[in-house]
Amino acid sequence: MSESQTPQTTFNRVLLKISGEALMGDQGYGLHPPTVERIAREVKTVHDMGVEICMVIGGGNIFRGLAGSAQGMERTTADYMGMLATVMNALAMQSALEGLGVFTRVISAIRMDEVAEPYIRRRAVRHLEKKRVCIFAAGTGNPYFTTDTAATLRANEMACEAIFKGTKVDGVYDKDPVKHDNAKRFDTVTYDEVLAQHLNVMDASAIALARDNSLPIIVFSLDEPGGFKGILAGEGTYTKVHG
């Protein structure tokens, strides 16, 4: 392979799941445009490899439904507000990606035709085949379901080969590595071990849905420059959750 060629990857279609908090950088709230652009550049490097990419972005940097519910707001209303926050994040990421020349579609589970397409599976698949990045927003469109579950649902519907869960650490640990120097990182871990040991990967519904459909989850550090591209090229540090 010449230096001008892009690295080879065994993945053809993947879903990248990131939290809303990943977009706020060092701020305590909202969107940090340089951070949004940095993540968009990471996505572009993978897109340039020829990989078809879906994205699901949480809304915790703007509003977290469960937290609102805990403070006395009715849970359904709080969850819908959280879904709207994910749409705002999706539009910000779309703007950043298209600023880099990557054609992108925001596809919402809640109809808002002026700002996003409604979710129609066959249309979304066609966008991917045309090498457009599809950002799925508004979760599943239903309260009581997290964006983790939405990501796993959409990954299955789009026939993705894996979910890439971008976090602040380089994999799955038996305890919080930020607080515990002796935390142990797993190279691989099974779905059942994640559930039994309450490892902080995704919520139980998302893990069970991935397990039932044999969909692997790759947990890696989104803060590592080139990490997303590196793992797709068979390099880097990560944890694989599988059967």
Side-chain angles (χ1 to χ4, degrees), residues 91-104:
L91 291 172
M93 183 57 64
Q94 178 185 43
S95 178
L97 283 167
E98 293 194 335
L100 298 173
V102 179
F103 291 107
T104 309

Side-chain angles (χ1 to χ4, degrees), residues 5-180:
Q5 290 179 305
T6 55
Q8 296 300 305
T9 174
T10 57
F11 293 96
N12 295 309
R13 181 180 295 171
V14 301
L15 185 142
L16 174 63
K17 166 65 172 69
I18 61 177
S19 67
E21 287 88 346
L23 302 184
M24 64 188 186
D26 295 330
Q27 301 174 156
Y29 179 83
L31 289 158
H32 183 237
T35 300
V36 176
E37 184 173 342
R38 178 182 64 79
I39 295 172
R41 289 189 183 280
E42 293 281 316
V43 173
K44 183 181 186 301
T45 61
V46 172
H47 182 266
D48 289 345
M49 296 168 70
V51 179
E52 297 171 3
I53 304 171
C54 313
M55 294 182 71
V56 171
I57 307 172
N61 57 318
I62 299 172
F63 189 86
R64 185 175 293 281
L66 197 57
S69 178
Q71 293 175 25
M73 184 177 293
E74 195 268 325
R75 172 67 188 270
T76 303
T77 299
D79 278 358
Y80 277 121
M81 291 174 68
M83 290 180 219
L84 295 176
T86 71
V87 177
M88 295 172 69
N89 285 338
L91 291 172
M93 183 57 64
Q94 178 185 43
S95 178
L97 283 167
E98 293 194 335
L100 298 173
V102 179
F103 291 107
T104 309
R105 294 291 186 273
V106 172
I107 301 173
S108 172
I110 299 173
R111 291 194 71 104
M112 46 185 78
D113 296 346
E114 287 76 14
V115 296
E117 289 187 9
Y119 176 70
I120 300 171
R121 188 184 68 84
R122 288 178 180 272
R123 183 187 291 177
V125 169
R126 187 68 180 131
H127 286 320
L128 291 173
E129 291 170 349
K130 290 183 176 180
K131 304 302 181 185
R132 298 165 181 158
V133 173
C134 288
I135 307 176
F136 296 111
T140 65
N142 301 288
Y144 295 94
F145 288 92
T146 66
T147 50
D148 281 344
T149 304
T152 311
L153 174 64
R154 297 293 185 238
N156 281 308
E157 289 181 299
M158 294 297 106
C160 291
E161 294 152 349
I163 295 176
F164 281 72
K165 174 76 183 285
T167 69
K168 292 186 177 297
V169 293
D170 59 355
V172 180
Y173 287 78
D174 60 349
K175 47 191 158 186
D176 189 343
V178 176
K179 299 177 181 176
H180 304 276

